[in-house]
Amino acid sequence: MPADAKLLLIDKNAVEYALQTEDVLAAVREAFVLHSRRAGRVFPVVRERLHTGGIFGIKSGAVASQDLLGFKAAGFWPGNRQLGGEPHQATVMLIDPATGRPLAILDGNAITTARTGAAGCLGLKALARPESSQRLCIFGTGVQARIQLTYALNALPEVRDVRYVSVSNETDESFEAQFREQCTIRLAKERNEAVASSDVVITATPGGGPLFAAEAVQSGTHLTCVGADTAGKRELPPGVLERARIVVDDAEQARAIGECQWNPTLACVELGDLLDGKMHFERDPTDITVFDMTGLALQDLTVSRLIYTGTLANGTGTTVAWPW
């Protein structure tokens, strides 16, 4: 057995250095298309609550034509806030499908953040009304809310007015400062009014329950829903999905752990089918659209492959002996 085998470790700094916006968008789009064509396999998701109060999950998959195999072990540990750390934690491993040997271990936090932001961006471009998307309401001010708003302002340059709802219902100065040069941004005084007057609504919270009243959602609104990724989680109130045209990243997964778990009999379309041209989506100006995002393993793999090949090429990362 090879005694000179190596394992590449790619830490947070190296991952963040490699995450260029357009490259990430292309990799995530590729993941959606691979999924649509069933050229990439998505294995059953593990998502379990722990005795520590955290949630632990594994998303894994493979792309045979690219010899791409791997998984992301990730979850949510709310107690990390008291330790001065980020509640979302993730680690990615890429594996040689021919031997089962690990090729690389990557810090998955930035990967998860970026690929989820990119997925939301692709959903906005496909589903939102660009001619009237000037007002946006976002729930949350954390890491995922920030990346969703960053990509949303990229996807919808017409957006001029942003209102946000924070967990404390108080002004978040650092959140405002990050986006003040790109738009007018302010705390929503009343969340239902903010939803009712917005063209786009993004929910990027831990998914602890409905965030607003169903009747606040007006005709023509697009909603990007990020926080429901576990059985029992939700951000939308009852009655919204029933009025909406629903797009998901994966139908089975969305009905198990996404917003669609609350009414799994509703019809939905996978975003990959729209991006690949399998299905045509003509949006009526009065349509309410929902993008129910639960996260695809293929997104983690295509973005991790991007980082892995780039790291090999530029000689960054840390190589350690990993003999058989």
Side-chain angles (χ1 to χ4, degrees):
M1 293 296 183
D4 60 348
K6 304 292 185 181
L7 176 65
L8 184 62
L9 306 179
I10 309 177
D11 67 13
K12 174 180 181 290
N13 292 331
V15 168
E16 291 180 345
Y17 176 80
L19 288 172
Q20 302 301 312
T21 299
E22 293 305 317
D23 293 337
V24 174
L25 279 167
V28 172
R29 190 184 192 283
E30 179 190 4
F32 279 119
V33 172
L34 285 168
H35 188 53
S36 173
R37 297 176 182 178
R38 298 306 184 252
R41 297 177 64 191
V42 175
F43 305 142
V45 173
V46 173
R47 195 77 175 170
E48 300 291 340
R49 297 185 182 276
L50 303 177
H51 67 285
T52 59
I55 297 173
F56 174 72
I58 296 176
K59 289 181 177 176
S60 56
V63 183
S65 63
Q66 301 178 9
D67 282 335
L68 183 59
L69 173 69
F71 67 87
K72 181 177 74 177
F76 186 76
W77 284 264
N80 285 3
R81 290 194 180 97
Q82 282 67 53
L83 302 174
E86 167 58 37
H88 290 93
Q89 291 296 316
T91 303
V92 176
M93 180 181 286
L94 296 179
I95 298 169
D96 179 1
T99 64
R101 296 289 295 172
L103 299 172
I105 295 175
L106 303 86
D107 183 284
N109 289 354
I111 292 170
T112 302
T113 299
R115 63 86 155 150
T116 309
C121 179
L122 292 170
L124 281 173
K125 287 181 176 180
L127 304 172
R129 292 184 298 133
E131 74 282 359
S132 65
S133 297
Q134 298 180 0
R135 299 175 302 276
L136 184 150
C137 175
I138 186 163
F139 287 78
T141 59
V143 171
Q144 192 50 234
R146 292 172 188 239
I147 197 68
Q148 288 295 329
L149 185 52
T150 297
Y151 272 95
L153 293 173
N154 173 281
L156 303 172
E158 300 85 359
V159 170
R160 294 290 180 266
D161 182 75
V162 174
R163 279 180 282 180
Y164 67 93
V165 178
S166 65
V167 65
S168 65
N169 291 317
E170 296 178 353
T171 299
D172 187 321
E173 292 290 350
S174 68
F175 185 71
E176 291 189 9
Q178 183 172 338
F179 300 102
R180 195 171 285 133
E181 292 186 3
Q182 297 171 269
C183 61
T184 299
I185 184 167
R186 62 191 189 279
L187 181 71
K189 294 181 179 179
E190 205 286 314
R191 60 182 61 195
N192 288 327
E193 188 277 328
V195 169
S197 61
S198 295
D199 305 299
V200 173
V201 176
I202 299 173
T203 58
T205 75
L211 298 171
F212 47 83
E215 55 269 23
V217 180
Q218 303 298 302
S219 297
T221 304
H222 171 73
L223 301 101
T224 296
C225 303
V226 183
D229 59 1
T230 305
K233 283 190 173 186
R234 74 184 309 170
E235 295 177 307
L236 295 181
V240 172
L241 289 178
E242 291 75 7
R243 296 166 55 202
R245 298 180 68 183
I246 305 168
V247 177
V248 300
D249 41 22
D250 179 87
E252 182 178 353
Q253 196 169 284
R255 288 168 176 147
I257 61 176
E259 290 292 342
C260 289
Q261 69 182 282
W262 301 102
N263 197 337
T265 63
L266 293 173
C268 62
V269 175
E270 291 189 353
L271 181 61
D273 290 343
L274 302 183
L275 297 179
D276 197 34
K278 278 186 178 180
M279 299 193 68
H280 178 65
F281 188 93
E282 189 168 337
R283 193 192 205 288
D284 187 276
T286 62
D287 284 338
I288 295 170
T289 52
V290 169
F291 183 28
D292 184 9
M293 298 171 54
T294 54
L296 285 177
L298 293 176
Q299 297 166 356
D300 298 309
L301 294 183
T302 54
V303 174
S304 295
R305 181 203 58 209
L306 169 73
I307 296 167
Y308 174 62
T309 56
T311 301
L312 285 177
N314 62 34
T316 55
T318 302
T319 301
V320 299
W322 202 259
W324 286 35

PDB file of all heavy atoms in Angstrom, residues 31 34-35 38-43 59-71 94-95 97 297-299 301-302:
ATOM      1  N   ALA A  31     -24.222  22.424 -10.152  1.00  0.00           N
ATOM      2  CA  ALA A  31     -24.803  21.436  -9.240  1.00  0.00           C
ATOM      3  C   ALA A  31     -26.292  21.260  -9.495  1.00  0.00           C
ATOM      4  O   ALA A  31     -26.800  20.127  -9.513  1.00  0.00           O
ATOM      5  CB  ALA A  31     -24.562  21.866  -7.793  1.00  0.00           C
ATOM      6  N   LEU A  34     -26.648  19.327 -12.834  1.00  0.00           N
ATOM      7  CA  LEU A  34     -26.294  17.915 -12.619  1.00  0.00           C
ATOM      8  C   LEU A  34     -27.435  17.181 -11.936  1.00  0.00           C
ATOM      9  O   LEU A  34     -27.770  16.041 -12.298  1.00  0.00           O
ATOM     10  CB  LEU A  34     -25.029  17.813 -11.768  1.00  0.00           C
ATOM     11  CG  LEU A  34     -23.697  18.139 -12.444  1.00  0.00           C
ATOM     12  CD1 LEU A  34     -22.605  18.282 -11.397  1.00  0.00           C
ATOM     13  CD2 LEU A  34     -23.319  17.063 -13.461  1.00  0.00           C
ATOM     14  N   HIS A  35     -28.036  17.842 -10.962  1.00  0.00           N
ATOM     15  CA  HIS A  35     -29.149  17.221 -10.234  1.00  0.00           C
ATOM     16  C   HIS A  35     -30.354  17.032 -11.137  1.00  0.00           C
ATOM     17  O   HIS A  35     -31.026  15.997 -11.102  1.00  0.00           O
ATOM     18  CB  HIS A  35     -29.505  18.074  -9.028  1.00  0.00           C
ATOM     19  CG  HIS A  35     -30.496  17.432  -8.103  1.00  0.00           C
ATOM     20  ND1 HIS A  35     -30.318  16.170  -7.588  1.00  0.00           N
ATOM     21  CD2 HIS A  35     -31.683  17.877  -7.607  1.00  0.00           C
ATOM     22  CE1 HIS A  35     -31.342  15.865  -6.809  1.00  0.00           C
ATOM     23  NE2 HIS A  35     -32.184  16.875  -6.813  1.00  0.00           N
ATOM     24  N   ARG A  38     -29.883  14.174 -13.298  1.00  0.00           N
ATOM     25  CA  ARG A  38     -29.581  12.981 -12.499  1.00  0.00           C
ATOM     26  C   ARG A  38     -28.206  12.430 -12.866  1.00  0.00           C
ATOM     27  O   ARG A  38     -27.956  11.234 -12.794  1.00  0.00           O
ATOM     28  CB  ARG A  38     -30.672  11.906 -12.657  1.00  0.00           C
ATOM     29  CG  ARG A  38     -32.058  12.353 -12.163  1.00  0.00           C
ATOM     30  CD  ARG A  38     -32.009  12.859 -10.722  1.00  0.00           C
ATOM     31  NE  ARG A  38     -33.321  13.203 -10.178  1.00  0.00           N
ATOM     32  CZ  ARG A  38     -33.757  14.440  -9.952  1.00  0.00           C
ATOM     33  NH1 ARG A  38     -32.987  15.478 -10.273  1.00  0.00           N
ATOM     34  NH2 ARG A  38     -34.942  14.659  -9.429  1.00  0.00           N
ATOM     35  N   ALA A  39     -27.331  13.368 -13.230  1.00  0.00           N
ATOM     36  CA  ALA A  39     -25.938  13.014 -13.490  1.00  0.00           C
ATOM     37  C   ALA A  39     -25.124  13.038 -12.207  1.00  0.00           C
ATOM     38  O   ALA A  39     -23.983  12.584 -12.183  1.00  0.00           O
ATOM     39  CB  ALA A  39     -25.337  13.985 -14.506  1.00  0.00           C
ATOM     40  N   GLY A  40     -25.701  13.600 -11.172  1.00  0.00           N
ATOM     41  CA  GLY A  40     -25.090  13.590  -9.853  1.00  0.00           C
ATOM     42  C   GLY A  40     -26.025  12.915  -8.875  1.00  0.00           C
ATOM     43  O   GLY A  40     -27.243  13.100  -8.933  1.00  0.00           O
ATOM     44  N   ARG A  41     -25.475  12.108  -8.000  1.00  0.00           N
ATOM     45  CA  ARG A  41     -26.286  11.403  -7.011  1.00  0.00           C
ATOM     46  C   ARG A  41     -26.305  12.181  -5.696  1.00  0.00           C
ATOM     47  O   ARG A  41     -25.283  12.704  -5.245  1.00  0.00           O
ATOM     48  CB  ARG A  41     -25.740  10.002  -6.756  1.00  0.00           C
ATOM     49  CG  ARG A  41     -25.779   9.098  -7.982  1.00  0.00           C
ATOM     50  CD  ARG A  41     -25.159   7.752  -7.669  1.00  0.00           C
ATOM     51  NE  ARG A  41     -25.931   7.036  -6.648  1.00  0.00           N
ATOM     52  CZ  ARG A  41     -25.495   5.942  -6.034  1.00  0.00           C
ATOM     53  NH1 ARG A  41     -24.284   5.465  -6.296  1.00  0.00           N
ATOM     54  NH2 ARG A  41     -26.262   5.347  -5.135  1.00  0.00           N
ATOM     55  N   VAL A  42     -27.479  12.262  -5.092  1.00  0.00           N
ATOM     56  CA  VAL A  42     -27.641  12.855  -3.771  1.00  0.00           C
ATOM     57  C   VAL A  42     -28.095  11.743  -2.836  1.00  0.00           C
ATOM     58  O   VAL A  42     -29.147  11.153  -3.039  1.00  0.00           O
ATOM     59  CB  VAL A  42     -28.669  14.005  -3.785  1.00  0.00           C
ATOM     60  CG1 VAL A  42     -28.903  14.522  -2.382  1.00  0.00           C
ATOM     61  CG2 VAL A  42     -28.193  15.130  -4.699  1.00  0.00           C
ATOM     62  N   PHE A  43     -27.293  11.448  -1.828  1.00  0.00           N
ATOM     63  CA  PHE A  43     -27.609  10.363  -0.912  1.00  0.00           C
ATOM     64  C   PHE A  43     -28.546  10.860   0.199  1.00  0.00           C
ATOM     65  O   PHE A  43     -28.650  12.072   0.429  1.00  0.00           O
ATOM     66  CB  PHE A  43     -26.328   9.786  -0.314  1.00  0.00           C
ATOM     67  CG  PHE A  43     -25.334   9.329  -1.350  1.00  0.00           C
ATOM     68  CD1 PHE A  43     -23.973   9.517  -1.166  1.00  0.00           C
ATOM     69  CD2 PHE A  43     -25.752   8.736  -2.530  1.00  0.00           C
ATOM     70  CE1 PHE A  43     -23.052   9.111  -2.115  1.00  0.00           C
ATOM     71  CE2 PHE A  43     -24.844   8.323  -3.494  1.00  0.00           C
ATOM     72  CZ  PHE A  43     -23.487   8.515  -3.291  1.00  0.00           C
ATOM     73  N   LYS A  59     -24.626  15.615   4.594  1.00  0.00           N
ATOM     74  CA  LYS A  59     -25.103  15.643   3.218  1.00  0.00           C
ATOM     75  C   LYS A  59     -23.980  15.103   2.346  1.00  0.00           C
ATOM     76  O   LYS A  59     -22.837  15.564   2.450  1.00  0.00           O
ATOM     77  CB  LYS A  59     -25.488  17.069   2.789  1.00  0.00           C
ATOM     78  CG  LYS A  59     -26.761  17.568   3.462  1.00  0.00           C
ATOM     79  CD  LYS A  59     -27.139  18.955   3.001  1.00  0.00           C
ATOM     80  CE  LYS A  59     -28.465  19.387   3.644  1.00  0.00           C
ATOM     81  NZ  LYS A  59     -28.832  20.770   3.292  1.00  0.00           N
ATOM     82  N   SER A  60     -24.305  14.128   1.520  1.00  0.00           N
ATOM     83  CA  SER A  60     -23.274  13.477   0.726  1.00  0.00           C
ATOM     84  C   SER A  60     -23.792  13.191  -0.670  1.00  0.00           C
ATOM     85  O   SER A  60     -25.000  13.190  -0.923  1.00  0.00           O
ATOM     86  CB  SER A  60     -22.832  12.174   1.400  1.00  0.00           C
ATOM     87  OG  SER A  60     -23.952  11.313   1.617  1.00  0.00           O
ATOM     88  N   GLY A  61     -22.860  12.943  -1.584  1.00  0.00           N
ATOM     89  CA  GLY A  61     -23.255  12.660  -2.953  1.00  0.00           C
ATOM     90  C   GLY A  61     -22.058  12.321  -3.806  1.00  0.00           C
ATOM     91  O   GLY A  61     -20.919  12.239  -3.323  1.00  0.00           O
ATOM     92  N   ALA A  62     -22.313  12.135  -5.103  1.00  0.00           N
ATOM     93  CA  ALA A  62     -21.261  11.745  -6.029  1.00  0.00           C
ATOM     94  C   ALA A  62     -21.627  12.185  -7.440  1.00  0.00           C
ATOM     95  O   ALA A  62     -22.800  12.277  -7.788  1.00  0.00           O
ATOM     96  CB  ALA A  62     -21.061  10.237  -5.993  1.00  0.00           C
ATOM     97  N   VAL A  63     -20.599  12.432  -8.248  1.00  0.00           N
ATOM     98  CA  VAL A  63     -20.755  12.693  -9.675  1.00  0.00           C
ATOM     99  C   VAL A  63     -19.798  11.749 -10.384  1.00  0.00           C
ATOM    100  O   VAL A  63     -18.583  11.990 -10.437  1.00  0.00           O
ATOM    101  CB  VAL A  63     -20.441  14.154 -10.040  1.00  0.00           C
ATOM    102  CG1 VAL A  63     -20.679  14.390 -11.526  1.00  0.00           C
ATOM    103  CG2 VAL A  63     -21.283  15.115  -9.209  1.00  0.00           C
ATOM    104  N   ALA A  64     -20.325  10.650 -10.916  1.00  0.00           N
ATOM    105  CA  ALA A  64     -19.484   9.590 -11.474  1.00  0.00           C
ATOM    106  C   ALA A  64     -18.621  10.087 -12.623  1.00  0.00           C
ATOM    107  O   ALA A  64     -17.433   9.737 -12.726  1.00  0.00           O
ATOM    108  CB  ALA A  64     -20.363   8.426 -11.926  1.00  0.00           C
ATOM    109  N   SER A  65     -19.197  10.927 -13.493  1.00  0.00           N
ATOM    110  CA  SER A  65     -18.460  11.382 -14.676  1.00  0.00           C
ATOM    111  C   SER A  65     -17.262  12.253 -14.319  1.00  0.00           C
ATOM    112  O   SER A  65     -16.358  12.441 -15.136  1.00  0.00           O
ATOM    113  CB  SER A  65     -19.390  12.155 -15.610  1.00  0.00           C
ATOM    114  OG  SER A  65     -19.868  13.337 -14.968  1.00  0.00           O
ATOM    115  N   GLN A  66     -17.245  12.788 -13.093  1.00  0.00           N
ATOM    116  CA  GLN A  66     -16.160  13.660 -12.657  1.00  0.00           C
ATOM    117  C   GLN A  66     -15.308  13.017 -11.564  1.00  0.00           C
ATOM    118  O   GLN A  66     -14.418  13.668 -11.004  1.00  0.00           O
ATOM    119  CB  GLN A  66     -16.728  14.991 -12.148  1.00  0.00           C
ATOM    120  CG  GLN A  66     -17.537  15.750 -13.178  1.00  0.00           C
ATOM    121  CD  GLN A  66     -18.117  17.042 -12.621  1.00  0.00           C
ATOM    122  OE1 GLN A  66     -17.788  17.479 -11.518  1.00  0.00           O
ATOM    123  NE2 GLN A  66     -18.980  17.688 -13.385  1.00  0.00           N
ATOM    124  N   ASP A  67     -15.569  11.756 -11.258  1.00  0.00           N
ATOM    125  CA  ASP A  67     -14.874  11.081 -10.152  1.00  0.00           C
ATOM    126  C   ASP A  67     -14.936  11.930  -8.879  1.00  0.00           C
ATOM    127  O   ASP A  67     -13.944  12.091  -8.156  1.00  0.00           O
ATOM    128  CB  ASP A  67     -13.416  10.776 -10.511  1.00  0.00           C
ATOM    129  CG  ASP A  67     -13.292   9.557 -11.408  1.00  0.00           C
ATOM    130  OD1 ASP A  67     -14.202   8.692 -11.370  1.00  0.00           O
ATOM    131  OD2 ASP A  67     -12.295   9.448 -12.143  1.00  0.00           O
ATOM    132  N   LEU A  68     -16.116  12.476  -8.636  1.00  0.00           N
ATOM    133  CA  LEU A  68     -16.317  13.373  -7.497  1.00  0.00           C
ATOM    134  C   LEU A  68     -17.172  12.667  -6.449  1.00  0.00           C
ATOM    135  O   LEU A  68     -18.282  12.208  -6.736  1.00  0.00           O
ATOM    136  CB  LEU A  68     -17.006  14.650  -7.977  1.00  0.00           C
ATOM    137  CG  LEU A  68     -17.261  15.766  -6.964  1.00  0.00           C
ATOM    138  CD1 LEU A  68     -15.956  16.243  -6.339  1.00  0.00           C
ATOM    139  CD2 LEU A  68     -17.981  16.923  -7.638  1.00  0.00           C
ATOM    140  N   LEU A  69     -16.642  12.556  -5.254  1.00  0.00           N
ATOM    141  CA  LEU A  69     -17.330  11.889  -4.148  1.00  0.00           C
ATOM    142  C   LEU A  69     -16.983  12.605  -2.859  1.00  0.00           C
ATOM    143  O   LEU A  69     -15.826  12.989  -2.643  1.00  0.00           O
ATOM    144  CB  LEU A  69     -16.898  10.422  -4.059  1.00  0.00           C
ATOM    145  CG  LEU A  69     -17.392   9.613  -2.846  1.00  0.00           C
ATOM    146  CD1 LEU A  69     -18.900   9.381  -2.914  1.00  0.00           C
ATOM    147  CD2 LEU A  69     -16.646   8.279  -2.753  1.00  0.00           C
ATOM    148  N   GLY A  70     -17.978  12.777  -1.990  1.00  0.00           N
ATOM    149  CA  GLY A  70     -17.666  13.400  -0.718  1.00  0.00           C
ATOM    150  C   GLY A  70     -18.894  13.674   0.112  1.00  0.00           C
ATOM    151  O   GLY A  70     -20.017  13.311  -0.244  1.00  0.00           O
ATOM    152  N   PHE A  71     -18.648  14.314   1.258  1.00  0.00           N
ATOM    153  CA  PHE A  71     -19.743  14.631   2.160  1.00  0.00           C
ATOM    154  C   PHE A  71     -19.420  15.897   2.942  1.00  0.00           C
ATOM    155  O   PHE A  71     -18.254  16.313   3.030  1.00  0.00           O
ATOM    156  CB  PHE A  71     -20.023  13.474   3.131  1.00  0.00           C
ATOM    157  CG  PHE A  71     -18.917  13.221   4.127  1.00  0.00           C
ATOM    158  CD1 PHE A  71     -18.848  13.906   5.341  1.00  0.00           C
ATOM    159  CD2 PHE A  71     -17.930  12.283   3.854  1.00  0.00           C
ATOM    160  CE1 PHE A  71     -17.837  13.669   6.246  1.00  0.00           C
ATOM    161  CE2 PHE A  71     -16.913  12.034   4.761  1.00  0.00           C
ATOM    162  CZ  PHE A  71     -16.863  12.734   5.960  1.00  0.00           C
ATOM    163  N   LEU A  94     -13.501  15.438   0.685  1.00  0.00           N
ATOM    164  CA  LEU A  94     -13.522  14.883  -0.662  1.00  0.00           C
ATOM    165  C   LEU A  94     -12.776  13.556  -0.643  1.00  0.00           C
ATOM    166  O   LEU A  94     -11.706  13.436  -0.018  1.00  0.00           O
ATOM    167  CB  LEU A  94     -12.867  15.837  -1.658  1.00  0.00           C
ATOM    168  CG  LEU A  94     -13.553  17.189  -1.851  1.00  0.00           C
ATOM    169  CD1 LEU A  94     -12.775  18.038  -2.854  1.00  0.00           C
ATOM    170  CD2 LEU A  94     -14.999  17.017  -2.304  1.00  0.00           C
ATOM    171  N   ILE A  95     -13.318  12.561  -1.334  1.00  0.00           N
ATOM    172  CA  ILE A  95     -12.828  11.188  -1.260  1.00  0.00           C
ATOM    173  C   ILE A  95     -12.570  10.657  -2.666  1.00  0.00           C
ATOM    174  O   ILE A  95     -13.334  10.943  -3.608  1.00  0.00           O
ATOM    175  CB  ILE A  95     -13.866  10.296  -0.533  1.00  0.00           C
ATOM    176  CG1 ILE A  95     -14.065  10.801   0.902  1.00  0.00           C
ATOM    177  CG2 ILE A  95     -13.460   8.824  -0.539  1.00  0.00           C
ATOM    178  CD1 ILE A  95     -15.243  10.177   1.613  1.00  0.00           C
ATOM    179  N   PRO A  97     -13.118   8.136  -5.266  1.00  0.00           N
ATOM    180  CA  PRO A  97     -14.124   7.092  -5.401  1.00  0.00           C
ATOM    181  C   PRO A  97     -13.547   5.739  -5.794  1.00  0.00           C
ATOM    182  O   PRO A  97     -14.199   4.703  -5.638  1.00  0.00           O
ATOM    183  CB  PRO A  97     -15.058   7.630  -6.498  1.00  0.00           C
ATOM    184  CG  PRO A  97     -14.214   8.564  -7.283  1.00  0.00           C
ATOM    185  CD  PRO A  97     -13.256   9.173  -6.305  1.00  0.00           C
ATOM    186  N   ALA A 297     -26.280  18.473  -1.482  1.00  0.00           N
ATOM    187  CA  ALA A 297     -24.918  17.979  -1.320  1.00  0.00           C
ATOM    188  C   ALA A 297     -24.072  18.289  -2.546  1.00  0.00           C
ATOM    189  O   ALA A 297     -22.874  18.583  -2.439  1.00  0.00           O
ATOM    190  CB  ALA A 297     -24.940  16.472  -1.061  1.00  0.00           C
ATOM    191  N   LEU A 298     -24.693  18.255  -3.727  1.00  0.00           N
ATOM    192  CA  LEU A 298     -23.944  18.515  -4.955  1.00  0.00           C
ATOM    193  C   LEU A 298     -23.385  19.939  -4.983  1.00  0.00           C
ATOM    194  O   LEU A 298     -22.342  20.190  -5.595  1.00  0.00           O
ATOM    195  CB  LEU A 298     -24.822  18.271  -6.179  1.00  0.00           C
ATOM    196  CG  LEU A 298     -25.245  16.817  -6.422  1.00  0.00           C
ATOM    197  CD1 LEU A 298     -26.192  16.734  -7.611  1.00  0.00           C
ATOM    198  CD2 LEU A 298     -24.026  15.931  -6.654  1.00  0.00           C
ATOM    199  N   GLN A 299     -24.069  20.879  -4.340  1.00  0.00           N
ATOM    200  CA  GLN A 299     -23.554  22.246  -4.259  1.00  0.00           C
ATOM    201  C   GLN A 299     -22.257  22.273  -3.459  1.00  0.00           C
ATOM    202  O   GLN A 299     -21.280  22.918  -3.851  1.00  0.00           O
ATOM    203  CB  GLN A 299     -24.586  23.167  -3.615  1.00  0.00           C
ATOM    204  CG  GLN A 299     -25.875  23.304  -4.394  1.00  0.00           C
ATOM    205  CD  GLN A 299     -26.979  23.939  -3.572  1.00  0.00           C
ATOM    206  OE1 GLN A 299     -26.801  24.220  -2.379  1.00  0.00           O
ATOM    207  NE2 GLN A 299     -28.119  24.153  -4.189  1.00  0.00           N
ATOM    208  N   LEU A 301     -20.217  19.823  -3.079  1.00  0.00           N
ATOM    209  CA  LEU A 301     -19.183  19.097  -3.804  1.00  0.00           C
ATOM    210  C   LEU A 301     -18.609  19.907  -4.960  1.00  0.00           C
ATOM    211  O   LEU A 301     -17.386  19.940  -5.156  1.00  0.00           O
ATOM    212  CB  LEU A 301     -19.731  17.764  -4.315  1.00  0.00           C
ATOM    213  CG  LEU A 301     -20.108  16.731  -3.252  1.00  0.00           C
ATOM    214  CD1 LEU A 301     -20.566  15.438  -3.906  1.00  0.00           C
ATOM    215  CD2 LEU A 301     -18.948  16.457  -2.308  1.00  0.00           C
ATOM    216  N   THR A 302     -19.465  20.571  -5.742  1.00  0.00           N
ATOM    217  CA  THR A 302     -18.940  21.328  -6.880  1.00  0.00           C
ATOM    218  C   THR A 302     -18.125  22.529  -6.407  1.00  0.00           C
ATOM    219  O   THR A 302     -17.087  22.852  -6.998  1.00  0.00           O
ATOM    220  CB  THR A 302     -20.063  21.795  -7.821  1.00  0.00           C
ATOM    221  OG1 THR A 302     -21.040  22.531  -7.072  1.00  0.00           O
ATOM    222  CG2 THR A 302     -20.726  20.604  -8.511  1.00  0.00           C
TER     223      THR A 302
END
